[in-house]
Amino acid sequence: MGKGARIVARQYTVPFILITSLFFMWGFVRALLDVLNKHFQGALELSKMESSFIQFSMYAAYFLIAIPAGLYINKYGYRRGMVFGLLLFGIGALLFIPAEAAMTFYFFLGALFVIGSGLVFLETAANPYVTELGAPNTATSRLNLSQSFNGLGCFLAPMIGGWLLFSDPNKAQVALPYAVMGVIVLIVAFVFSRVQLPEIKKVDAESQEQGSMKGLWQHRTFVFGLIALLCYEISEISINSFFINYVTDDGWLTPLQASLLLSVGALLLFMCARVIGSVIMSFVAASKVLLVCGVMTVICTFLIVCNVGIVSKISLFAVYAFEAIMFPTMFAMALHDVGHYTKRAASFLMMTPIGGAIGTLLMGWAADSMGMSAAFIVPLLGYAVVLAFAVFANQGRRKAAVKA
């Protein structure tokens, strides 16, 4: 990648800013789940495995809705896909008002599924859209930059959610942040319905087989990337879901302190690392950066499993730094050179957050059965697959360099 390469094409600066604002919103709502998980364990007397259904409900939507979302976006375009996603997001958020009045766990789960369905449309459209707003060789850096604002939303959510839910357990306000967010999201949907975004179309002149998917599955990097993203989601979301449990189970912190630490410690570090990673990948091959980060996340999660006191706790925070660039980097790599399959390929990639549903259930079961430290074997295995993909991608880059 050449020095000084422009990350965003000049003519796409305004669309890039608008789309990046969406990354903040879904980062906020996803991170808020991690506080809800711990809150409902106490408020509704749930086990760790039972509370994991909070994440399961939202991330199950990614698996069930991703293909329909991809078909919708393929037919109507990126902008309409994002508007429809915002509408679902806003409606789901407002459903928290009657859910809190009823204080029924299943009502909350239903609302989260609607929100998740909206996020699927947003992410299926926005992630590949951002990769096209500039030169192909800056796609990874561009997506990492947008995803940095996702990190900002993740940073703020536990801080606000922790204050609302843990500062006074008798006056916990579950619906308030969702209601405010719902109104904001519906306003943003109106704005997006009125602005004109450039519709980027990729056409493969040699293949117009619109009904066939055979060609997509012949892209080895896409297939391996799909598997690696699934495993990454298992790791990242399961760690986020039980961060508060991990740092409170031994009496180290209170839930309120833990939620603040998740925000100003782990997720702020995550956000900063993603920004730094975006800059680094303007100069260093993305596959090299991913390889280093893959090695470090495997080492850090192994140290957590070993339960070696303060070293394990430091390793937990290190995981957030080294995993920061993984999702956008692998997403951009998986979409590279898939031609006119880009929108459909993106819909398959956006099914991978189902890994979060799988990971939280497995980690919740492991935590109830073996303890929190031992439960980190779940994300350890996930990061091992990411590392394998990084090795594969790095070898592919070297072969391409030799041929050139």
Side-chain angles (χ1 to χ4, degrees):
M1 184 176 292
K3 184 176 180 180
R6 187 178 178 86
I7 293 179
V8 182
R10 193 178 303 276
Q11 69 269 30
Y12 293 140
T13 300
V14 173
F16 178 78
I17 293 172
L18 288 172
I19 303 305
T20 298
S21 70
L22 301 181
F23 285 75
F24 171 85
M25 284 185 260
W26 77 62
F28 187 94
V29 73
R30 286 175 64 164
L32 201 56
L33 292 180
D34 307 326
V35 181
L36 275 182
N37 188 305
K38 178 62 176 177
H39 170 70
F40 281 140
Q41 286 175 23
L44 299 177
E45 299 181 351
L46 304 175
S47 69
K48 292 182 178 68
M49 183 175 179
E50 288 171 333
S51 69
S52 68
F53 277 96
I54 293 169
Q55 276 82 4
F56 184 88
S57 295
M58 178 174 285
Y59 294 118
Y62 283 79
F63 183 75
L64 297 173
I65 306 299
I67 297 301
L71 293 173
Y72 182 93
I73 292 165
N74 200 48
K75 182 176 181 179
Y76 297 107
Y78 289 114
R79 184 177 67 86
R80 289 189 181 182
M82 286 182 273
V83 170
F84 189 67
L86 286 165
L87 290 174
L88 287 175
F89 184 171
I91 292 169
L94 292 177
L95 284 175
F96 262 70
I97 297 174
E100 185 176 50
M103 205 56 188
T104 303
F105 189 49
Y106 295 110
F107 203 149
F108 284 114
L109 297 183
L112 288 171
F113 182 84
V114 176
I115 292 175
S117 299
L119 296 187
V120 175
F121 276 86
L122 288 179
E123 296 189 52
T124 303
N127 279 304
Y129 190 81
V130 166
T131 66
E132 301 300 325
L133 297 178
N137 65 332
T138 59
T140 302
S141 293
R142 188 161 50 253
L143 187 53
N144 268 283
L145 181 58
S146 283
Q147 288 276 0
S148 299
F149 287 84
N150 177 279
L152 178 61
C154 291
F155 159 66
L156 291 174
M159 185 186 302
I160 295 171
W163 176 70
L164 290 172
L165 298 178
F166 299 134
S167 58
D168 186 349
N170 296 320
K171 296 181 180 179
Q173 302 179 68
V174 176
L176 181 59
Y178 285 92
V180 172
M181 193 162 36
V183 173
I184 293 174
V185 165
L186 291 177
I187 292 173
V188 173
F190 177 78
V191 172
F192 267 79
S193 69
R194 291 291 180 265
V195 299
Q196 291 297 317
L197 295 176
E199 186 64 29
I200 299 170
K201 298 179 179 179
K202 297 186 74 173
V203 179
D204 185 343
E206 297 180 0
S207 177
Q208 297 295 331
E209 301 173 19
Q210 296 298 315
S212 173
M213 296 297 292
K214 183 179 179 180
L216 176 61
W217 303 111
Q218 293 174 349
H219 289 269
R220 294 175 62 197
T221 301
F222 167 76
V223 175
F224 201 168
L226 179 67
I227 296 169
L229 276 173
L230 174 68
C231 292
Y232 167 77
E233 294 285 13
I234 288 174
S235 300
E236 187 222 355
I237 295 170
S238 61
I239 289 177
N240 286 343
S241 301
F242 292 104
F243 177 97
I244 295 176
N245 284 104
Y246 179 78
V247 299
T248 58
D249 275 9
D250 61 359
W252 183 34
L253 297 173
T254 66
L256 177 58
Q257 292 170 334
S259 63
L260 292 175
L261 184 62
L262 174 60
S263 178
V264 301
L267 293 174
L268 179 60
L269 180 61
F270 180 93
M271 179 183 69
C272 293
R274 185 165 275 178
V275 174
I276 294 170
S278 177
V279 174
I280 290 174
M281 283 186 287
S282 296
F283 302 91
V284 181
S287 60
K288 285 186 177 180
V289 179
L290 183 64
L291 181 61
V292 172
C293 291
V295 170
M296 294 308 299
T297 50
V298 168
I299 292 173
C300 290
T301 45
F302 177 74
L303 290 172
I304 298 171
V305 172
C306 291
N307 193 20
V308 285
I310 190 65
V311 174
S312 293
K313 288 183 170 63
I314 293 172
S315 296
L316 175 61
F317 288 93
V319 167
Y320 279 87
F322 289 112
E323 74 173 7
I325 59 92
M326 286 181 170
F327 181 88
T329 300
M330 290 190 293
F331 193 97
M333 285 180 175
L335 285 183
H336 185 62
D337 283 341
V338 297
H340 74 289
Y341 293 113
T342 297
K343 290 178 182 177
R344 293 187 182 184
S347 68
F348 280 109
L349 294 177
M350 287 320 307
M351 294 176 72
T352 59
I354 187 64
I358 297 168
T360 50
L361 284 176
L362 289 174
M363 197 166 178
W365 171 82
D368 287 333
S369 304
M370 303 180 293
M372 276 310 312
S373 293
F376 273 79
I377 188 69
V378 174
L380 170 59
L381 295 174
Y383 289 130
V385 176
V386 173
L387 175 57
F389 174 73
V391 172
F392 168 82
N394 210 46
Q395 290 175 340
R397 180 189 60 82
R398 289 178 179 176
K399 289 179 181 178
V402 170
K403 290 181 180 179

